[in-house]
Amino acid sequence: MGGQVQLGARRGTTVSTIFVLIVLQLIGEIIVRVSRLPVPGAIIGLILLYAILVWRGGISDEMSRTSGFLLQNLGVLFVPAGVGVIAYLPMIASQWWVILLVLLVSVCATIALTGLVVARLSPRGVETVKAVARS
């Protein structure tokens, strides 16, 4: 009987931890909508989560267990995307070249922007980045 109570308590804290993660994402979405920031609300939610974890001095055992569970079952979250691809397969087949072009341009832009940010934020400029890349 004691094991059932403990399991129920653990489940309750897991649910409350997931609830906290969802609320932080919701707060991030609200901040994005109100401030019109060009950033996804989930990213703002992650920044808020990081700030809370830094403020608390680390991650709790329950947050660690819950996030581990979510990461282990991440594949399930791709099911809706897969269904969407199947549902729009005729449109994707007719517009594949546009999709490919957009993907190529966005990947090149991401790589270039990442390089610029690293070079800008590097303490000694591009030389430091080149030295690290060689090693």
Side-chain angles (χ1 to χ4, degrees):
M1 180 132 175
Q4 291 175 348
V5 172
Q6 186 177 11
L7 179 63
R10 183 171 170 210
R11 176 178 280 158
T13 55
T14 301
V15 171
S16 64
T17 303
I18 291 174
F19 179 74
V20 167
L21 294 174
I22 292 171
V23 166
L24 287 173
Q25 181 176 356
L26 176 65
I27 292 170
E29 292 290 339
I30 291 169
I31 290 171
V32 166
R33 298 267 171 120
V34 169
S35 66
R36 297 186 190 269
L37 287 171
V39 178
I43 299 299
I44 302 295
L46 283 174
I47 292 169
L48 292 172
L49 175 63
Y50 177 74
I52 290 170
L53 293 176
V54 167
W55 178 68
R56 290 186 63 199
I59 186 168
S60 69
D61 289 339
E62 189 56 42
M63 181 66 77
S64 179
R65 271 194 303 274
T66 303
S67 59
F69 171 77
L70 291 172
L71 287 173
Q72 288 173 350
N73 295 294
L74 193 61
V76 174
L77 300 176
F78 287 103
V79 170
V83 170
V85 167
I86 298 301
Y88 289 99
L89 203 53
M91 191 261 320
I92 292 171
S94 68
Q95 299 291 322
W96 67 269
W97 58 274
V98 176
I99 295 169
L100 183 64
L101 180 65
V102 168
L103 285 172
L104 287 174
V105 169
S106 64
V107 166
C108 291
T110 300
I111 291 171
L113 185 61
T114 301
L116 291 172
V117 168
V118 168
R120 174 88 168 109
L121 296 179
S122 178
R124 287 179 251 157
V126 178
E127 287 74 30
T128 305
V129 175
K130 287 180 183 176
V132 170
R134 279 187 240 147
S135 56

